[in-house]
Amino acid sequence: MRKMLLAALSRVLQGPAAATASRVMVASRNYADFASEATFEIKKCDLHRLEEGPSTTAVMTREEGLHYYKTMQTIRRMELKSDQLYKQKIIRGFCHLYDGQEACCVGLEVAIKPTDHVITAYRAHGFTYARGVPVREILAELTGRKGGCVKGKGGSMHMYTKNFYGGNGIVGAQGQIFETYNMAALWKLPCIFICENNRYGMGTSVERAAASTDYYKRGDFIPGLRVDGMDVLCVREAAKFAAEYCRAGKGPIVMELQTYRYHGHSMSDPGISYRTREEIQEVRSKSDPITLLKDRMVNSNLASVEELKEIDVAVRKEIEEAAQFATTDPEPPLEELGNHIYFNEPPFEVRGPNQWIRYKSVS
């Protein structure tokens, strides 16, 4: 009789009840068995004109880790979807993707305040999302739809939101950047200058273009940090240090984030004529920012592989829904072409495609 009962119980546990029990166990682990925080050793920053730098240890809570993971994964998937839409000729014009560099914008954003002002270069999609713009508005901007973050009139290189002035074509032009460094140092401006050094200027490696690749020293009398830009915790701690330095009235500081882009310079650049596929794959396998964070979280019991996979599934769903919106939302009407040239100005006429067409510009 006992053997029969055990056999019956075994059959029950192999059926739907087992699956339910398994789900209950996983769910209960989500809330009870994970560590609330963990401490990690991080790479020491190289310093210029600084006696001490950021901490070489970083505390990360479970909630922080999940937020960083979801944000970086969202940016990664958003950029891969942008690649797909561009190849389908749904996105046109210039398009510079950010995949590989996600730890930079995420680490920076979580270390500063929403009221701080951020301006970046034309590889701006990741920063735009980190600053709070939804994926659907970013993709809709890329496809030129009126639901885009600047109503479909900015595209990849000109995305903006509150306290964010992103998408600028001149990246550290030599004369201007040194003049800016000089003025910032003279006036002790609370400004963090950031070089996202992804090892290539368009199709030229930094070693071929610069006699000195110590970009964190280029501020001369401005102190500098060289940071592992593939580690979100390294970027976060360095950005916290830099922000505190500026807020203390000490003047500007330069941060060089050593990172890597997986795509070419732009969508017109295959990215493998000046570097090998093997080089890209080696960076992906050894230094990927998302994989590094995932391994840390799992190994320190901040999250499970299954939980992170659920985030991946949710992110993919969000991206697909955003892409559906970005491909079905209408384009802005022609009569709005001249709008938003100036802020808070009375309406005025703007010439259209020929001299007989006039549009009214509204702020």
Side-chain angles (χ1 to χ4, degrees):
M1 182 62 129
R2 185 168 177 269
K3 287 183 179 179
M4 290 173 64
L5 287 171
L6 287 173
L9 180 60
S10 175
R11 285 194 297 273
V12 169
L13 291 177
Q14 289 172 6
T20 302
S22 175
R23 286 194 296 270
V24 170
M25 289 176 66
V26 170
S28 65
R29 186 178 176 226
N30 285 342
Y31 296 103
D33 295 338
F34 290 120
S36 60
E37 65 178 41
T39 303
F40 302 94
E41 296 291 325
I42 57 176
K43 185 177 178 180
K44 184 179 180 180
C45 295
D46 296 318
L47 307 179
H48 170 63
R49 292 185 176 272
L50 290 167
E51 293 182 0
E52 60 179 2
S55 173
T56 55
T57 61
V59 177
M60 180 173 66
T61 67
R62 168 174 154 80
E63 289 72 23
E64 288 172 340
L66 292 173
H67 172 66
Y68 304 163
Y69 182 84
K70 184 178 185 296
T71 306
M72 289 199 292
Q73 193 67 277
T74 300
I75 295 169
R76 175 72 55 87
R77 292 289 172 182
M78 178 178 70
E79 297 299 66
L80 295 178
K81 177 56 70 173
S82 300
D83 172 271
Q84 181 185 355
L85 293 173
Y86 194 96
K87 289 172 179 173
Q88 292 172 349
K89 297 185 178 180
I90 297 172
I91 295 174
R92 302 295 187 100
F94 294 105
C95 186
H96 304 80
L97 302 182
Y98 199 70
D99 48 322
Q101 299 183 210
E102 296 91 350
C104 296
C105 66
V106 175
L108 290 167
E109 182 61 35
V110 299
I112 62 175
K113 301 174 182 178
T115 51
D116 291 329
H117 298 267
V118 175
I119 184 169
T120 188
Y122 46 60
R123 204 175 304 280
H125 308 167
F127 277 95
T128 307
Y129 179 73
R131 287 257 93 184
V133 177
V135 175
R136 58 187 273 145
E137 291 186 20
I138 296 173
L139 290 182
E141 189 57 42
L142 287 169
T143 58
R145 310 306 172 107
K146 69 177 186 179
C149 56
V150 287
K151 302 184 184 299
K153 296 190 288 186
S156 175
M157 294 177 64
H158 304 287
M159 295 186 178
Y160 306 92
T161 189
K162 185 175 177 60
N163 298 330
F164 175 66
Y165 321 95
N168 297 273
I170 302 302
V171 187
Q174 292 304 303
Q176 286 92 329
I177 193 66
F178 287 118
E179 287 179 10
T180 306
Y181 282 164
N182 184 57
M183 292 169 70
L186 282 172
W187 296 344
K188 287 197 171 183
L189 299 181
C191 181
I192 305 173
F193 294 99
I194 298 167
C195 168
E196 288 184 273
N197 179 7
N198 60 27
R199 293 169 49 177
Y200 293 93
M202 297 185 74
T204 306
S205 68
V206 293
E207 290 81 10
R208 290 184 60 206
S212 171
T213 58
D214 293 337
Y215 295 104
Y216 70 110
K217 296 180 179 180
R218 292 287 185 94
D220 194 4
F221 282 93
I222 300 178
L225 301 166
R226 182 159 60 189
V227 184
D228 181 357
M230 301 299 273
D231 183 346
V232 69
L233 293 182
C234 278
V235 178
R236 185 192 74 178
E237 294 305 305
K240 283 181 179 178
F241 175 90
E244 289 171 4
Y245 181 95
C246 289
R247 296 189 206 283
K250 297 178 181 179
I253 192 168
V254 175
M255 286 176 58
E256 175 188 346
L257 307 182
Q258 293 188 310
T259 185
Y260 197 85
R261 57 170 163 80
Y262 293 158
H263 269 83
H265 168 71
S266 67
M267 287 301 297
S268 61
D269 167 23
I272 53 173
S273 59
Y274 49 85
R275 60 183 185 177
T276 63
R277 295 180 189 273
E278 289 74 22
E279 177 186 303
I280 302 169
Q281 188 54 44
E282 182 179 16
V283 175
R284 282 182 176 273
S285 62
K286 294 182 179 179
S287 306
D288 184 79
I290 298 176
T291 302
L292 175 62
L293 177 63
K294 177 181 179 180
D295 291 345
R296 274 180 171 158
M297 294 184 69
V298 172
N299 294 337
S300 59
N301 196 34
L302 290 175
S304 66
V305 172
E306 294 76 17
E307 183 179 21
L308 298 179
K309 283 182 179 178
E310 288 178 3
I311 292 175
D312 296 346
V313 171
V315 165
R316 283 194 290 269
K317 183 174 183 292
E318 179 186 2
I319 299 300
E320 289 302 322
E321 290 175 353
Q324 179 66 22
F325 172 76
T327 53
T328 56
D329 191 51
E331 295 180 353
L334 280 177
E335 54 267 25
E336 291 186 9
L337 190 64
N339 287 356
H340 310 113
I341 295 176
Y342 297 107
F343 174 70
N344 202 24
E345 286 284 325
F348 61 94
E349 283 195 341
V350 179
R351 176 179 162 168
N354 62 56
Q355 60 182 326
W356 297 283
I357 297 177
R358 291 278 192 266
Y359 297 118
K360 182 169 285 189
S361 179
V362 180
S363 297

